[in-house]
Amino acid sequence: MNRLDRLRGPVPPRAHDARAIAALAANPGCARRALLDAAGVDKDGTARHLGFPAPFGQSQFAITRGNVFEALVKENGCAELLRLMRELLGLPVDQVGYQDVENVGSHLRASHTRALIDRAARELDAAVFYDHPMLSLEIAGHTAYLEPDVLAFQLGGRFHIVEIKSFAVIDGQAEPEKVAAAARQAAVYVMALRALMADLGHDPERVSHDVVLICPENFANRPTASLVDVRKQLAVLKRQLARMARVDRLLEGLPPELTFSLDPDDEGVPTRSARELAEALGRIPARYAPDCLSTCDMCMFCRDEARSCGSTDLLGRQVRDQLGGVAAASEALGLAEGTVVPGEGQEEIARVLRLANRLREECLT
Amino acid sequence: MSTLLALARLRAMRDGVAQRITTVRHCHVSERPMVFIPLKLAGEAAAPLGAMVGTDPDHPRLLVVPQPRNRDLRFAFAGELAEVLLPYIESFQKATETVEKKVGEPYERCLDAPQIVVPNRPAVAFTGLLGRSTRFRRVDGPYPVHPSVPLLGRWLTYFTDRASQPGSSLLLAATDVLGAHWATGQSGLEDANLAALVGWIDPPPGMSGPRAAEEAEDPLLWPPAGPATDPGFDNEVLGPAIRAYEDAPTARAVERVAQALRSQLEPTWRLTWRAVELLRALPEGSRVRDRWDADRGSFTRFVERIAEGGPPQARRDGAVGAAARLAGLERARAGYDVQRAYDDPLVMAEYRLTGEAFAGVVTGAEPEHFEGEGRSRKLRPLITVRTQDPVRLAPGAVLGSPDRRGHGAEVVGLAGGEITLKIVKGMGRGKTPAPGAVPQPGERVCYTSLTDDFQTSAALPDPEQTPWTHGGPPEEYAPSDDDAQEEWE
Ligand code: SF4
């Protein structure tokens, strides 16, 4: 059995949903997440079983609103969408085809997408929207299928990823975090579509790095389109995937029988005790950062772990940088208060900390 | 993020309680602030769900939108909010004072100004969106609204714009101001949760800060401070209540939604007032008044602008306006930083850490030292200060001191922890220095290369030049029917 399969145990690998996809490029330095993702472990289920569910609920209002807006944009064979694309990209088209890949059974979706994209790339003909294309990405030697919630637009053999989001653009501005998350997610699709093109023997660069973001404008439901350049996100993602491809290095030194299996009993409850699972996870170093709280299903577990060892990671990267990377809060305080002798290379940070400590005392007494 | 702040966070982590990072308060706290806690419908840009608002902690006014997708109900909400907010704002407009200026005409300024306190930064942004979605409405034409609605929109926009002005206290986000005075043992990201932040600063008796912060993360114990609501609440409580209202829009159905919202708003209402109390208990920094004077001036200008029938603020700054505004904000930020350092030794310590300031004891003084000959002979007292601080100042550097207003010195030389300074400003016009103008041996002094030249300009912004933000006169807005009829779905 493959090492990664053993890590996951006898359950099928997780398809990556939107959150998982966007998170692939967040916190690239974390070995724990890299391994869990590489093995296709269900992180959400793992966190639940550990008693640390992630606080990622979704409001029915937001879901409804998202669906209503998406339906509106796609109405009449994407007529409105075509108008927006025409204006945005200056396209000389007035007709567009619409292919919903979801209409075929889920087991056929990937091959169907492949055939459609291949034909489009060859024929260079009329404009077509491909809805719900099933794309895949090699993650650490595994084919990870991406749950589709985007469209691919093709004209003259050039492709754009089109993402429909229901956050508003008001007077030309949207919430930066939301745009950033959408860009991270779209980059994954650009990469997957490029990989497919390359695999089919076409030029991957025919997939644009400018993705089209469709959002409601101002306070109405009217959609507006904007181009978002995702080159930066692509670069980060590429690095992270390369890192996961070198997963052997992460596996080095781990006991061969190590597993995070959530193998369920008859009632669907994982058979393994939470404690054993936590111990197994503890063997792989994490790199907790407060950002995890919005990006990774494991965040509550990792934060708890960081708390129990008094890690300066809890305070955020900026603080940690300010502390010259000293990992333990007690050590940093010891350096500041002169109770810990600075180790090699710590002289400078110890000097600054001691000075800071003296100034604080002086001002507060 | 400085090492001092990092250290304070480490201590908070160890001691289980937030640590002071200032010795004084750097914002104005009104005697009669208005607390405003808006909630919005998830997934929508600016659909108000309800709000709790008022100046009396014991008697909040609850505003409810039983069906947040209904346009008429939204405008009714805006009208009700105006009923509370506008009289409050107007109550400050009557009493004014005449301010004399060194150059130019004297002008009128309101004696006091309104202060709105919201729980967090997203609430500030939402206030701005409420302003944006109401200020262009018209009282006539195809979609008439009550006259108070566009006026409310202009005021909300004004307050939101002003909130981006460093040092302004007209609209405060509780998490921001608390975070500017205390460091917790958690991350800045987690400090955005008002309940967690207050838990660290002021945990309930018998509870540690981290424990209180942990409780604060349970939405059942501490509902989020808004404007976003807890998804669990949306799905289990609010959703059914709104559906019931849709089925039968009775008074009972409204009351059910109101109950639901009250349960989410009341804890935050109390927390926000708690934040006001915590801040009020801190001694006020000496330059806070100057900044509040500037706020009062700005407020007065906006009152006048409305009285003169000026148009609502434009949709967004033009390119030139935006650049000027940014430059203005940067200047204001720099000025605000320096003012805080002059007011607060713990803030000044940041600059001592980087060598831009130092404190020490005067070891020698030559008060009657002169420079030059004949008519250009000038009084230039010399002092020597011993310090342990890592000074990074070159000879010739011009220094100010928080100990004496108007005092100025120049670095003459540094040697072995001793710095020789030449006093160049603030010792009077006589042949000998004015009493107290030259520090005496044995006195503790602090000097810094941060200068407070801005003091006059920041304290009294020229009203003609700064009508309502530092961005210069706002771009002219030409009212249009489209804006007035813009959908608000
Ligand atoms: S939450 Fe844990 S596993 Fe996830 S990225 Fe952060 S440290 Fe890694």
Side-chain angles (χ1 to χ4, degrees):
Chain A
M1 203 188 342
N2 175 312
R3 281 288 298 276
L4 290 175
D5 288 336
R6 174 155 337 127
L7 278 180
R8 188 182 62 250
V11 285
R14 275 289 272 196
H16 287 63
D17 62 6
R19 177 180 300 283
I21 291 161
L24 281 176
N27 200 358
C30 176
R32 181 175 296 167
R33 233 241 342 263
L35 257 188
L36 291 173
D37 281 345
V41 173
D42 171 3
K43 294 201 296 294
D44 179 48
T46 304
R48 265 172 217 292
H49 187 50
L50 291 166
F52 289 98
F56 300 145
Q58 242 209 324
S59 163
Q60 55 173 249
F61 300 116
I63 296 171
T64 312
R65 157 86 166 152
N67 293 342
V68 167
F69 181 67
E70 191 175 332
L72 186 103
V73 172
K74 290 183 182 171
E75 237 168 39
N76 305 325
C78 295
E80 177 66 5
L81 193 53
L82 179 68
R83 185 187 64 75
L84 289 167
M85 300 284 286
R86 212 163 43 209
E87 280 169 20
L88 184 71
L89 303 169
L91 299 178
V93 283
D94 42 29
Q95 290 261 322
V96 72
Y98 173 76
Q99 300 258 13
D100 192 347
V101 188
E102 206 165 43
N103 292 338
V104 304
S106 68
H107 56 295
L108 290 175
R109 241 152 78 194
S111 56
H112 190 48
T113 304
R114 199 179 156 88
L116 284 172
I117 298 288
D118 189 33
R119 203 173 69 209
R122 276 178 209 293
E123 293 174 359
L124 311 180
D125 55 2
V128 181
F129 283 116
Y130 301 96
D131 202 352
H132 306 111
M134 171 68 107
L135 298 169
S136 61
L137 207 56
E138 270 317 275
I139 297 181
H142 273 259
T143 305
Y145 289 100
L146 309 176
E147 271 180 31
D149 61 352
V150 291
L151 297 115
F153 174 76
Q154 181 276 138
L155 176 68
R158 286 197 61 79
F159 291 83
H160 282 276
I161 290 292
V162 182
E163 225 184 337
I164 302 171
K165 291 281 172 195
S166 61
F167 58 82
V169 174
I170 293 165
D171 295 340
Q173 287 182 321
E175 275 179 54
E177 306 86 62
K178 294 199 169 146
V179 179
R184 279 204 298 267
Q185 204 177 319
V188 180
Y189 291 108
V190 171
M191 182 172 269
L193 190 52
R194 283 186 173 174
L196 176 59
M197 290 286 280
D199 199 37
L200 290 164
H202 304 297
D203 178 7
E205 294 297 312
R206 278 161 65 181
V207 181
S208 173
H209 57 246
D210 283 329
V211 303
V212 179
L213 190 58
I214 309 283
C215 296
E217 185 172 28
N218 297 339
F219 307 104
N221 261 328
R222 213 173 314 115
T224 177
S226 21
L227 280 183
V228 181
D229 181 342
V230 299
R231 268 178 290 187
K232 235 196 262 145
Q233 291 79 359
L234 278 170
V236 174
L237 185 64
K238 214 185 226 157
R239 244 180 294 140
Q240 172 71 343
L241 290 180
R243 192 184 147 82
M244 286 161 69
R246 293 190 307 267
V247 76
D248 297 353
R249 283 238 308 273
L250 300 178
L251 287 166
E252 254 169 48
L254 294 177
E257 68 285 356
L258 185 72
T259 176
F260 311 126
S261 171
L262 293 176
D263 193 17
D265 60 17
D266 296 342
E267 319 222 305
V269 180
T271 46
R272 199 126 175 261
S273 82
R275 226 200 51 214
E276 260 179 61
L277 184 59
E279 265 170 30
L281 279 164
R283 300 222 168 209
I284 310 170
R287 191 160 182 265
Y288 173 79
D291 283 339
C292 294
L293 292 172
S294 58
T295 52
C296 183
D297 288 313
M298 297 295 297
C299 58
M300 290 315 208
F301 176 75
C302 295
R303 186 177 71 173
D304 186 66
E305 182 185 66
R307 278 182 181 163
S308 62
C309 54
S311 164
T312 56
D313 283 335
L314 289 165
L315 301 175
R317 288 267 190 269
Q318 277 180 314
V319 175
R320 182 156 179 165
D321 290 349
Q322 224 20 269
L323 297 172
V326 176
S330 57
E331 187 185 355
L333 274 170
L335 288 172
E337 287 163 3
T339 55
V340 168
V341 182
E344 191 136 333
Q346 284 187 331
E347 297 85 358
E348 176 55 18
I349 183 65
R351 185 192 65 77
V352 177
L353 279 170
R354 271 203 306 273
L355 175 60
N357 192 55
R358 170 171 74 78
L359 294 177
R360 229 188 118 73
E361 295 288 301
E362 195 185 299
C363 296
L364 286 172
T365 46
Chain B
M1 172 64 57
S2 74
T3 312
L4 266 166
L5 193 50
L7 183 65
R9 284 200 181 269
L10 285 172
R11 290 213 170 165
M13 206 170 153
R14 177 179 64 190
D15 300 350
V17 64
Q19 305 287 306
R20 293 276 299 274
I21 50 174
T22 68
T23 61
V24 292
R25 164 161 50 79
H26 294 285
C27 63
H28 173 81
V29 178
S30 162
E31 276 167 30
R32 194 166 55 100
M34 173 158 285
V35 167
F36 174 46
I37 302 164
L39 291 184
K40 71 166 195 136
L41 186 68
E44 307 280 333
L49 201 55
M52 210 166 246
V53 59
T55 51
D56 180 350
D58 298 324
H59 297 98
R61 169 118 177 229
L62 176 69
L63 309 180
V64 180
V65 187
Q67 171 44 283
R69 292 212 172 88
N70 181 314
R71 179 192 159 93
D72 295 333
L73 293 178
R74 281 187 198 181
F75 283 114
F77 167 87
E80 277 184 75
L81 182 58
E83 265 172 42
V84 184
L85 211 54
L86 295 181
Y88 172 69
I89 293 171
E90 273 153 25
S91 71
F92 294 94
Q93 298 176 5
K94 302 263 153 54
T96 62
E97 60 185 350
T98 305
V99 184
E100 305 288 346
K101 290 201 305 174
K102 282 200 193 109
V103 269
E105 296 285 300
Y107 65 96
E108 289 299 300
R109 184 167 63 190
C110 296
L111 282 174
D112 198 3
Q115 179 176 56
I116 301 177
V117 185
V118 297
N120 49 31
R121 217 178 282 178
V124 174
F126 186 67
T127 304
L129 286 178
L130 276 181
R132 166 64 182 80
S133 57
T134 48
R135 71 176 184 261
F136 299 121
R137 305 292 158 180
R138 295 236 188 103
V139 295
D140 46 22
Y143 297 104
V145 297
H146 190 269
S148 66
V149 170
L151 185 57
L152 173 80
R154 297 170 68 171
W155 275 111
L156 293 179
T157 305
Y158 168 76
F159 279 104
T160 315
D161 283 340
R162 190 73 195 164
S164 59
Q165 176 79 12
S168 168
S169 295
L170 288 173
L171 170 59
L172 296 177
T175 49
D176 270 7
V177 271
L178 289 177
H181 294 87
W182 280 275
T184 67
Q186 63 183 4
S187 68
L189 218 100
E190 290 154 305
D191 284 349
N193 176 339
L194 180 61
L197 182 56
V198 173
W200 271 100
I201 296 172
D202 185 28
M207 204 187 267
S208 74
R211 181 79 204 94
E214 208 164 303
E215 273 202 353
E217 282 181 357
D218 182 348
L220 295 179
L221 292 174
W222 290 100
T229 45
D230 169 42
F233 164 79
D234 283 3
N235 299 343
E236 281 145 42
V237 183
L238 184 62
I242 290 179
R243 270 193 301 280
Y245 173 84
E246 272 179 341
D247 292 344
T250 59
R252 257 187 69 198
V254 175
E255 185 46 36
R256 183 170 162 190
V257 178
Q259 269 306 341
L261 294 182
R262 190 175 292 122
S263 74
Q264 299 298 291
L265 285 161
E266 229 159 27
T268 307
W269 173 261
R270 277 182 277 121
L271 273 178
T272 309
W273 281 105
R274 187 82 198 97
V276 171
E277 274 169 45
L278 285 166
L279 288 163
R280 200 176 264 144
L282 301 177
E284 187 176 275
S286 70
R287 285 163 180 85
V288 169
R289 247 193 102 118
D290 298 345
R291 291 194 296 270
W292 184 244
D293 287 350
D295 271 337
R296 290 193 289 123
S298 162
F299 169 71
T300 313
R301 301 291 84 74
F302 197 72
V303 170
E304 285 164 5
R305 184 182 148 98
I306 286 183
E308 286 158 9
Q313 301 94 326
R315 277 166 174 242
R316 64 192 125 134
D317 290 342
V320 179
R325 188 174 146 82
L326 270 187
L329 288 181
E330 250 161 59
R331 267 200 311 281
R333 158 66 50 196
Y336 177 49
D337 286 347
V338 179
Q339 291 185 349
R340 275 170 32 248
Y342 270 74
D343 272 357
D344 188 339
L346 198 48
V347 178
M348 186 62 89
E350 306 265 3
Y351 300 92
R352 290 171 62 191
L353 199 60
T354 55
E356 292 163 89
F358 65 89
V361 176
V362 178
T363 52
E366 205 182 317
E368 286 175 35
H369 179 261
F370 285 86
E371 259 182 21
E373 293 301 329
R375 286 181 64 85
S376 62
R377 191 174 140 88
K378 286 187 213 116
L379 180 64
R380 286 291 178 262
L382 293 176
I383 60 166
T384 312
V385 181
R386 184 169 30 232
T387 179
Q388 297 182 332
D389 295 353
V391 185
R392 273 189 209 110
L393 297 167
V398 179
L399 308 180
S401 169
D403 312 322
R404 294 173 166 80
R405 275 208 186 200
H407 182 83
E410 212 179 284
V411 177
V412 178
L414 300 91
E418 295 232 316
I419 302 167
T420 307
L421 302 177
K422 177 167 83 180
I423 316 286
V424 295
K425 245 170 67 190
M427 59 255 163
R429 296 187 183 280
K431 285 225 163 51
T432 54
V438 177
Q440 304 269 316
E443 190 182 327
R444 253 197 93 72
V445 290
C446 175
Y447 281 92
T448 173
S449 58
L450 305 172
T451 49
D452 58 347
D453 301 342
F454 57 84
Q455 269 184 27
T456 39
S457 57
L460 291 175
D462 191 296
E464 285 73 43
Q465 277 171 8
T466 45
W468 53 285
T469 64
H470 274 227
E475 192 178 278
E476 263 319 289
Y477 166 73
S480 83
D481 288 342
D482 277 0
D483 282 344
Q485 291 160 26
E486 182 178 55
E487 287 166 72
W488 187 18
E489 283 173 358

